[in-house]
Amino acid sequence: MTLHQLKPSFTEQSVPIHFPHWRGRIYAILGLLVAFGAIVVFATAVGSVQIPFSTICRILFSKLPLVEINNPAWPGTLETIILEVRLPRVILAGLVGGALALAGATYQGLFRNPLADPYLIGVAQGAALGAVVGFLLPSTWHGMGFGIIPVLAFIGALVSTTIVYSLARVGKTLPVTTLILAGVALGALLASIVSYLIISSGEKMHGIIFWLMGSFSLSRWSEVGVVLPYVVVGVVVILLYARSLNVMQLDEEQAQQLGVNVERLKLVLLAAATLITAAAVSFVGTIGFVGIIVPHAVRLIWGPDHRFLLPLSVLTGAIFLILADVIARTILAPTEIPIGVITAIVGAPFFLYLLRRRKRVIF
Amino acid sequence: MIKIEMQNVCLGYGRKVVLKALTFHVMPGEVVGLIGPNGCGKSTIIKALSRIISPHSGKILLDGKDISQIPRRDLARLLGVVPQIPLLPSSFTAFEIVLMGRNPHLGLFQYEGSEELAITWRAMERTATQSLAERRVGELSGGEVQCIVIARVLAQETKAVLLDEPTANLDIGRQVEILDLIKSLCRESNLTVLAALHDLNLASQYCDRLVLINNGRIHAEGTPREVIIPQNIKEVYGTDGCVYTHPINGLPVVLLKSGNGQPAQTRDGVERGIV
């Protein structure tokens, strides 16, 4: 233990001890990638129309590049069910799950607050208000493109977070506590307006409530095409800042002393996380639980290092929401259950089990 | 090698002014101690030098360059800080914390390679903290956390180091180890060291020069022998410090006596009675 026996350089044996648990996490990412592929195929196979598993695989593989199946032995309706109904729905569920889990992990890291979720600073309430206004508009407005509801939900989400952000700004800095409080307060205000609009919405009430609890029932490739670019760009940007998020866990002063431009980091990450959340919820509604619980589950299993936590959250969130959607559309078929109900019923017990099994500090 | 300079700097929080007309410098290869009573602004100076707060007026220079002009990441490669009460996220391992010292050396598209791991490991060896590497920092004692943070500043490989009460949580053995390490680094690689210290005896033993702060101003500046004198102790701390000379190296030492002039009651009689 004496400092006077300073070793001039590291010994070759001394460093590699730290590689193994990194290696384990890298294997976990690769494993989850494989699992994601398998679950996409599985989720596409499950549905009200029974289709042989081998046919599903052949239909899917025939669409991959470089694969040539000359003699398609399946009816065209099956191909439509697989490729135009089920697959876009599975992919959209994966995108939304990954986006919400990543946004949750980002907010939790940025705010150093385990209670943070993607809806903390007003995204959900803004989106809900936008969507409800969309529902209440006369039906002549609904014909265009994807319909007016996702567009208004997206705008509502961005406007409300921009308001929260500018309210919370003090001079050149953005104190995290002020931001959270402003988000909670504006969220409450918007939520009460939404409640009032729901009560006075008459026969449209059912559709509104279904939207608020989340559903993938109207998923098509066009929706996937809109959500995908946001999620891809957001994921890339956030993953680039994973190391800075680790340093942010110290506190803002130490992070600055270690070379992190804290205010710029907040701005970039808030913008990226808000965009992917807004893009995700505007088509499928404000699905709860994924954004707060998936990052904690990942943290419990693989530790708090954001360089692994963030990608693992994306994959786990995607897999989790795809499976939840499978349950939501099959368990009471042909009736669909709102996916928000399933995420909590399935996710909460599993998370509580993890929490009990690992009895150590997680945050 | 880098020179730290404060020119007529006025510091404070909001409108409140804490320190006025500060002018001093720290040369490469020199350990300068900031001493003064509680709340005199030692930590404020550390914060201003690491650009956490900006001065109301005056200039803070690193090698003649105004620090407000230096980007945060470049500054963190020149100047490392050991904070007073380092708050560390409890679920990270000590190794992961020390590795964060490499952050300013890595760009957005880079990740920690074997070189970063080797530097981190070496920093932990120098502070004798390798055995803690895999432990979660939430399980460590205050002294161990302090050593981890000092290892982190070594891993940062800066040219200047600011220390805010680096020995506050350490036992006397660790105090000497850590300050010996810092002093030897300072001498070997011409590190510029500024340390806010509470303990006047440590300040006297380890610092080449001392800056004594009181009432928002520099009260005295110079070598330990010039600064730690009974008159200064009385004026600044309001207590009759007894300043003696260290029997081995002749540096000033301060011994305390209880305020009422009476020696504390001996327990001799009581103890004898029990045994």
Side-chain angles (χ1 to χ4, degrees), chain B residues 23-266:
Chain B
T23 301
F24 68 90
H25 65 270
V26 190
M27 298 300 287
E30 185 184 43
V31 180
V32 171
L34 280 174
I35 54 174
N38 289 335
C40 71
K42 299 188 288 285
S43 300
T44 307
I45 294 176
I46 303 274
K47 280 182 191 170
L49 284 169
S50 55
R51 238 185 81 191
I52 302 296
I53 58 172
S54 42
H56 289 182
S57 63
K59 269 187 183 166
I60 302 173
L61 306 172
L62 275 188
D63 255 358
K65 200 171 175 200
D66 196 323
I67 62 159
S68 61
Q69 306 300 317
I70 304 176
R72 199 63 64 217
R73 199 171 136 225
D74 296 352
L75 187 64
R77 272 179 295 194
L78 297 173
L79 188 95
V81 183
V82 175
Q84 183 168 17
I85 306 161
L87 289 171
L88 302 180
S90 52
S91 53
F92 279 76
T93 64
F95 186 83
E96 286 167 340
I97 298 289
V98 179
L99 190 61
M100 289 179 189
R102 298 306 297 161
N103 185 59
H105 297 272
L106 293 167
L108 206 56
F109 297 95
Q110 287 171 300
Y111 62 95
E112 293 90 339
S114 52
E115 195 196 336
E116 261 60 46
L117 298 180
I119 292 169
T120 304
W121 192 246
R122 198 152 62 224
M124 297 194 84
E125 280 181 338
R126 298 202 88 173
T127 49
T129 51
Q130 314 99 299
S131 58
L132 307 176
E134 291 290 300
R135 301 264 304 275
R136 286 163 189 279
V137 289
E139 301 164 2
L140 301 181
S141 73
E144 288 169 328
V145 166
Q146 195 92 51
C147 293
I148 294 298
V149 176
I150 288 166
R152 189 181 73 196
V153 92
L154 297 189
Q156 208 175 337
E157 294 192 319
T158 53
K159 291 172 178 162
V161 172
L162 311 176
L163 305 130
D164 197 351
E165 304 283 1
T167 55
N169 289 315
L170 303 180
D171 62 55
I172 51 169
R174 284 300 235 173
Q175 288 183 349
V176 169
E177 271 181 11
I178 292 297
L179 290 175
D180 276 343
L181 172 68
I182 288 163
K183 185 106 180 183
S184 68
L185 285 171
C186 170
R187 294 289 188 258
E188 282 163 25
S189 42
N190 265 323
L191 201 65
T192 313
V193 181
L194 179 69
L197 289 167
H198 226 72
D199 187 323
L200 296 177
N201 290 327
L202 284 176
S204 159
Q205 291 295 314
Y206 283 99
C207 298
D208 300 305
R209 284 191 300 121
L210 294 176
V211 178
L212 175 61
I213 313 274
N214 191 33
N215 282 333
R217 288 176 187 284
I218 294 177
H219 188 90
E221 190 187 347
T223 63
R225 270 177 249 256
E226 292 162 358
V227 174
I228 301 184
I229 53 174
Q231 188 200 352
N232 282 342
I233 303 296
K234 173 80 180 156
E235 283 170 3
V236 171
Y237 293 93
T239 175
D240 283 317
C242 307
V243 179
Y244 294 92
T245 307
H246 196 285
I248 294 169
N249 52 29
L251 288 163
V253 287
V254 180
L255 297 180
L256 308 174
K257 64 176 169 63
S258 85
N260 57 17
Q262 296 289 323
Q265 192 133 33
T266 63

Side-chain angles (χ1 to χ4, degrees), chain A residues 289 293 320 341-355:
Chain A
F289 205 70
I293 290 306
F320 177 66
V341 176
I342 303 295
T343 52
I345 285 181
V346 178
F350 176 67
F351 180 71
L352 292 173
Y353 159 73
L354 276 183
L355 203 59

Side-chain angles (χ1 to χ4, degrees), chain A residues 3 6 14 18 243 254 307, chain B residues 103 107 112 121 126 134:
Chain A
L3 289 164
L6 297 178
S14 59
H18 294 290
R243 186 160 33 79
Q254 289 183 69
R307 290 168 307 160
Chain B
N103 185 59
E112 293 90 339
W121 192 246
R126 298 202 88 173
E134 291 290 300

